[in-house]
Structures are given as structure tokens and as C-alpha cells.
Amino acid sequence: MNLNDYLKKALEENWATGHFNASESDQFRAIAEAAKDLNTIAIIGTSEGEAKHLGYFEAVALRDAFRKELGIQVFLNSDHHKSVEAAKKAIDAGYDSIHIDLSAEPYEKNVSGTKEIVEYAKNFHISVEGELGYLRGESKIEKEKITVKPEDLTNPDTAEDFVLSTGVNRLAISVGNIHGISMDEPALDIERIKKIREAVPKNVALVLHGGSGIPDKQIKAAIAVGIANIHINTDIRVAYTEALREEFSKNSEEVVPYKLDTTAREAVKKIVKEKLILFGAKNRI
Ligand code: G3H
Ligand code: ZN
């Protein structure tokens, strides 16, 4: 089964696939091993910054290595690639999933650029995600209060037009979610997700970005109305860096890198497992 098949299965069976970001090979391994332990698929994403750090070809090689080593499906996504050029770079490198995010552009430019990537990707038989609506914040612990404005939110009718005009396989939406862990509790607009789900053809998966910091109850409610893929980054970044900081301060004389960073890998694995269980992704292969 390819990624689109898994997303269809998730929607039909009322669970969600997890998408987890990585910029280090250790995080990559932690995510893949967590998926293996829970008998499910792994979707690993690199933003433009993360891909630049890890290397596009290294990310592809890691995906192939973990497919071979663990015998599970590992999909590699170009998360939030913000230009046609950047998305094409990921496709050419061998990514099997593309997120072309032109949501900050005027609508017509978003449609034409996304469509260009859908056409380009056809030769490679990969899954393409577009984005509509404005998502505030960055994948970090936010130190200022972020307010989602009504005009940020995805309009169900425009969502229908967008997916029909572009031909995307997945749609990232703005429904009260933000990137990063916010100071106050986010409030997802569940009714809006439901309306978008009704407006958009069933073979297009709805994606919830900004999964860190959203209470479990709201995550479950979002899945119940049709979210089939949830992105987590900040929780991974926090788990990894906090564990590293602790190891370095506890063992200031240690010079063997793998003795210092193993707990960080385990911390990432733990959080990924918790999220996969929350999403209902366990034993879905
Ligand atoms: O694309 C990445 C995700 O949307 C991450 O969001 O950092 O709030 O978990 P997050
Ligand atoms: Zn995102």
C-alpha cells in the first residue's frame, strides 16, 4: 500500500496516521523504531530547514535503510516546502510525499504553484499535500500569546475549489491549530473540520498541523470528524533537547557521543509512541 492508501484506510477506520519531524538521524531512528514497536507505518517529515541540516539525500537514504532494517513502511515527506523549486528538489531527491505550502501566497498563486507540483509529481507516483488557510506560530515553545484570527481559518467552500483545482491528495487546514506549544490551550473548531470533510472528496485526506500542545480530547474529536493525518514536531524537539541538556550536565566529562545522546533518542521514541497510541494508529499495517 502507498501513503494515499493508508490515509484512505485511516479515514474509513476512524484513526489517524502520525507525521513526525526529524533533523537528526537519531530522531529518524527513534520515529521508525516507535512505529515498528507498535506495528504501524512511519511518516517522517523534514521541513526545508531540517532537510538542509540533514541533507535531502541522507534523509532518503535513512528512509530506505529503516525500511530494510525494520521491515515496515517508512514514508518521507517534504514538510512545509514553501516554493515550487524547493518541492521539486525533494521530489528529485526521492521523497515519496510532498507538502507544498503556498498558503502565505494569494489564492491564485497557491492554486497554480500547487497544481504545478501535482503535475510534476505524477511521474513519480507520490502523494502531494497542499495547504489552505493561515497557520500561525513556529515549532517551539511559544513565549507570547498567539491569537488565531477568523480570517486565518480554512473556508469549506474554498477548500473544495482548491482540491478540485489542484488535484492534491491531502489538504492541510487551519481550524484553530497553531505551530508550537502555545501559552494558552488551543481550541479546535471541530464543526469547521466536519464541514470541510463534507465539502472535500473522500479520497483527499485532511491534515492537522501543529499537533503539539493540543489536548488529547480535542485530538480525538478531530479524528472522529475525519482528520486522517496529524503532524507533531515541537514535542519531539522538546523531548530531544531536554534529554540532551540533562545528559550533558550530568556527565560533563563524557566524550563518547553515543553515551550522551542515547537517552535523547529514547525520549523521542517515547513521545512518538504515546502519540501513535493516541491517534489509534497501533496495529494498523
Ligand atoms: O509540520 C509540522 C507540524 O505542523 C508541527 O507542529 O510543532 O506544533 O507539533 P508542532
Ligand atoms: Zn506544520
Side-chain angles (χ1 to χ4, degrees):
M1 292 207 313
N2 63 26
L3 181 54
N4 292 332
D5 296 328
Y6 279 108
L7 293 165
K8 191 169 165 272
K9 181 175 155 66
L11 180 65
E12 283 168 2
E13 296 175 355
N14 227 249
W15 56 283
T17 52
H19 171 292
F20 303 96
N21 287 70
S23 59
E24 318 298 326
S25 63
D26 253 6
Q27 297 168 340
F28 218 102
R29 174 177 286 282
I31 299 162
E33 285 185 356
K36 169 74 180 175
D37 286 358
L38 294 180
N39 196 33
T40 192
I41 62 164
I43 308 174
I44 303 177
T46 61
S47 65
E48 287 188 52
E50 288 160 345
K52 203 172 162 201
H53 177 77
L54 187 61
Y56 283 87
F57 290 106
E58 186 173 337
V60 169
L62 284 168
R63 176 204 62 199
D64 293 343
F66 289 117
R67 275 183 184 165
K68 205 185 271 184
E69 181 184 324
L70 303 175
I72 58 163
Q73 270 292 14
V74 182
F75 298 105
L76 180 63
N77 179 48
S78 69
D79 193 32
H80 293 288
H81 274 47
K82 297 197 172 173
S83 69
V84 165
E85 192 192 11
K88 283 184 179 171
K89 188 176 174 183
I91 296 172
D92 292 343
Y95 278 52
D96 34 37
S97 168
I98 298 298
H99 173 201
I100 172 77
D101 175 7
L102 303 178
S103 58
E105 304 287 350
Y107 183 69
E108 293 309 326
K109 208 172 164 199
N110 188 358
V111 168
S112 62
T114 304
K115 199 173 167 186
E116 187 177 339
I117 290 303
V118 169
E119 290 303 319
Y120 191 77
K122 273 185 184 151
N123 303 324
F124 301 84
H125 307 289
I126 56 185
S127 177
V128 178
E129 173 179 344
E131 180 155 337
L132 191 64
Y134 185 61
L135 222 67
R136 295 177 186 272
E138 288 168 36
S139 287
K140 60 180 190 180
I141 297 173
E142 303 288 358
K143 299 284 181 215
E144 276 168 31
K145 195 172 174 315
I146 294 179
T147 309
V148 178
K149 299 192 174 156
E151 59 268 31
D152 298 340
L153 302 172
T154 307
N155 175 290
D157 294 332
T158 320
E160 183 190 16
D161 183 74
F162 183 80
V163 302
L164 295 178
S165 307
T166 57
V168 288
N169 308 109
R170 322 193 299 272
L171 180 68
I173 53 178
S174 171
V175 287
N177 45 330
I178 65 149
H179 279 136
I181 296 177
S182 52
M183 290 184 73
D184 47 359
E185 197 172 284
L188 294 185
D189 186 342
I190 301 296
E191 206 42 47
R192 184 175 294 266
I193 302 174
K194 209 170 163 186
K195 286 197 181 119
I196 299 170
R197 187 58 285 170
E198 282 160 9
V200 166
K202 282 270 178 291
N203 61 346
V204 177
L206 295 185
V207 183
L208 182 71
H209 281 253
S212 303
I214 299 177
D216 292 0
K217 214 175 147 193
Q218 292 194 46
I219 291 281
K220 284 186 178 164
I223 296 170
V225 292
I227 288 289
N229 181 232
I230 302 175
H231 281 229
I232 301 286
N233 193 355
T234 310
D235 280 333
I236 289 175
R237 290 178 168 183
V238 171
Y240 185 81
T241 51
E242 276 185 355
L244 270 188
R245 262 188 215 104
E246 200 184 321
E247 279 302 315
F248 274 78
S249 71
K250 273 197 321 209
N251 306 292
S252 55
E253 302 292 313
E254 183 58 71
V255 295
V256 181
Y258 63 76
K259 289 188 179 169
L260 287 163
D261 61 17
T262 304
T263 50
R265 186 167 81 197
E266 291 308 310
V268 173
K269 197 169 164 181
K270 183 171 176 285
I271 190 85
V272 172
K273 277 185 166 182
E274 285 169 7
K275 296 294 177 185
L276 286 171
I277 290 168
L278 173 66
F279 301 163
K282 189 179 174 184
N283 290 328
R284 312 274 192 176
I285 206 96

